[in-house]
Amino acid sequence: MLASVGVRLSAASRGKVSLVSVSRRLCTKHPETPASLPDSEPPEQRRPKKDPAECSVLLFPGQGSQFVGMGRGLLQYPNVKEMFTVAQKILGYDLLSLCLQGPEEELQRTVHCQPAVFVTSLAAVERLNHENPKAIEMCVAAAGFSVGEFAALVFSGAMNFAEALYVVKVRAEAMQRASELVPSGMLSVVGRPQAQYKHACLQAKEHCMSLGIEEPVCSVANYLFPDGRVIAGHQQALDFLQQNSRRLQFMRTKPLLVSGAFHTKLMESATEPLREVLRQVEVRRPDINVYSNVDGKRYMNEKHVRRQLVTQLVSPVKWEQTLHEIYERTHGKKFPYTYEVGPGNQLGATLQRCNMKAFKTYEHVDVAIHEED
């Protein structure tokens, strides 16, 4: 299937629908090294250092940021129409119509919203490249939340758009199937400073065992910001956390509109399909720093990318740690511009709570502009 659809489309569209990853590489590639150099010169020329105040960072949102109407007005930008055309061939349905018109309950399904967020985010990159090409040229780092990591990798030149979309399709379908095995979900939690999340999860699992549930799952799935977590697992465990929120020092709890307990052991059955499809596509070392959700560290090579993308399914998204890694700098050093490219502005909200200085140069690239704008 992949050879007949994904690879064929990627080969046909590699030059046409390669997004700004190609133009960004051309803008930032190393200077050409002469065929022969005098003995007194170093064998390689180094890329000149960039002023941090002129550099940029791109953040790509994940599942849960989708909404009906996203993508409206973006078709006027280069490559976007071709992206949605390729998407329709790979996915087998009209993704653009689903994004623009819904219905909402279909867009929210895991199998649909992951490809939708992926494509729309990269369409937003095209808008940013059209309106502010310097932001693309001077980009030094990218990160994506969960499925957003695939968009970050495409932008960085590590993966081809069509192949990555096919991987996202396989990933979303596998996660949907895993979600249907047991009643499960995700719970957004904002706790007091004294809240102990791991101990709360342990109590929730003990409650599940008292109900006769064998090997219950309840763990932190997302580290968002100080005292901000998403906990995922069996539905009975999440119900326990909500019912005992005051005693557990939780100030606010809110169930998320997702189909299952993503980034926990309950996604184990989805790992093999993802691992297999990643073996079939080309993966390259990113041209800029791209940070993994698994540990907040940057990807080193193509093997590292493949391994971490699979591990990510059953590991918590360490977004707070990733932001600290991206924006850590010595006192007095300026912060880069930050652009959230994709639906919603949740990543900006987390950046504001993790690093106010970095947030001062944050901007959201809207994906729901009107045609007349």
Side-chain angles (χ1 to χ4, degrees):
M1 173 65 106
L2 178 60
S4 63
V5 179
V7 174
R8 174 170 53 79
L9 283 170
S10 67
S13 61
R14 191 174 294 274
K16 189 176 183 182
V17 195
S18 53
L19 302 163
V20 295
S21 59
V22 171
S23 61
R24 191 195 56 72
R25 288 205 304 271
L26 292 174
C27 290
T28 60
K29 65 185 292 187
H30 292 272
E32 294 294 334
T33 303
S36 60
L37 292 170
D39 293 339
S40 60
E41 292 190 21
E44 294 184 2
Q45 296 184 27
R46 294 187 175 220
R47 182 185 303 184
K49 289 187 176 181
K50 298 177 180 178
D51 182 352
E54 296 183 354
C55 295
S56 62
V57 172
L58 265 60
L59 303 180
F60 294 84
Q63 184 172 346
S65 62
Q66 72 279 350
F67 60 90
V68 174
M70 65 180 188
R72 190 173 306 282
L74 297 184
L75 296 176
Q76 62 187 292
Y77 299 105
N79 292 323
V80 174
K81 286 184 179 179
E82 291 88 345
M83 290 162 58
F84 278 103
T85 298
V86 170
Q88 184 168 359
K89 294 177 181 178
I90 292 175
L91 300 173
Y93 58 87
D94 189 345
L95 181 67
L96 179 60
S97 176
L98 185 61
C99 288
L100 296 181
Q101 303 170 14
E104 184 176 0
E105 57 270 21
E106 284 299 308
L107 182 61
Q108 288 180 352
R109 294 186 63 207
T110 295
V111 291
H112 294 148
C113 69
Q114 289 192 17
V117 170
F118 170 84
V119 176
T120 306
S121 296
L122 290 170
V125 174
E126 294 293 342
R127 180 188 180 189
L128 178 61
N129 186 49
H130 178 79
E131 297 180 347
N132 185 5
K134 188 176 180 181
I136 303 300
E137 178 184 345
M138 300 299 288
C139 184
V140 295
F145 195 102
S146 192
V147 71
E149 200 163 283
F150 288 86
L153 288 165
V154 169
F155 171 73
S156 75
M159 299 182 76
N160 168 268
F161 169 76
E163 293 180 345
L165 177 56
Y166 188 81
V167 174
V168 169
K169 175 181 182 291
V170 172
R171 176 185 189 267
E173 292 171 348
M175 292 173 71
Q176 181 72 50
R177 289 193 298 270
S179 299
E180 294 168 356
L181 296 177
V182 296
S184 60
M186 305 183 79
L187 184 71
S188 175
V189 175
V190 177
R192 301 184 186 279
Q194 61 267 39
Q196 298 182 8
Y197 302 96
K198 291 184 178 179
H199 184 61
C201 290
L202 178 61
Q203 293 183 55
K205 288 192 287 187
E206 290 175 347
H207 170 72
C208 287
M209 286 188 286
S210 72
L211 299 176
I213 299 174
E214 298 181 3
E215 299 182 6
V217 172
C218 183
S219 60
V220 174
N222 303 159
Y223 292 85
L224 301 177
F225 50 84
D227 297 317
R229 305 284 190 273
V230 172
I231 297 176
H234 281 82
Q235 189 58 52
Q236 295 89 334
L238 303 185
D239 293 341
F240 172 86
L241 294 178
Q242 283 194 280
Q243 293 163 5
N244 295 273
S245 60
R246 180 174 296 184
R247 178 174 63 81
L248 297 171
Q249 303 294 330
F250 294 164
M251 293 188 295
R252 181 176 63 84
T253 60
K254 180 182 178 181
L256 300 184
L257 294 175
V258 295
S259 61
F262 303 148
H263 305 290
T264 71
K265 292 180 180 179
L266 291 178
M267 289 293 110
E268 185 65 41
S269 64
T271 58
E272 190 53 40
L274 179 59
R275 182 181 292 109
E276 180 58 31
V277 74
L278 282 169
R279 292 193 189 108
Q280 301 178 51
V281 301
E282 182 181 3
V283 179
R284 299 171 291 277
R285 180 179 179 179
D287 291 334
I288 58 173
N289 290 340
V290 177
Y291 294 82
S292 169
N293 288 177
V294 174
D295 54 12
K297 305 296 182 181
R298 63 187 178 90
Y299 283 114
M300 303 305 296
N301 52 53
E302 58 274 14
K303 290 183 179 179
H304 192 204
V305 171
R306 287 190 173 96
R307 183 172 67 250
Q308 294 289 76
L309 287 177
V310 174
T311 304
Q312 184 216 70
L313 283 184
V314 292
S315 301
V317 173
K318 294 186 176 179
W319 189 251
E320 180 183 352
Q321 295 87 331
T322 297
L323 294 180
H324 289 319
E325 191 76 18
I326 293 174
Y327 296 103
E328 182 181 11
R329 58 204 58 238
T330 56
H331 181 72
K333 191 175 181 181
K334 295 180 179 179
F335 285 86
Y337 289 94
T338 298
Y339 299 93
E340 182 172 357
V341 280
N345 55 7
Q346 294 95 326
L347 301 186
T350 60
L351 177 61
Q352 185 176 19
R353 301 187 74 160
C354 288
N355 193 320
M356 180 57 77
K357 290 183 178 180
F359 179 73
K360 290 180 179 179
T361 51
Y362 161 89
E363 182 179 329
H364 177 232
V365 181
D366 197 356
V367 300
I369 61 175
H370 298 290
E371 295 288 352
E372 62 267 25
D373 288 353

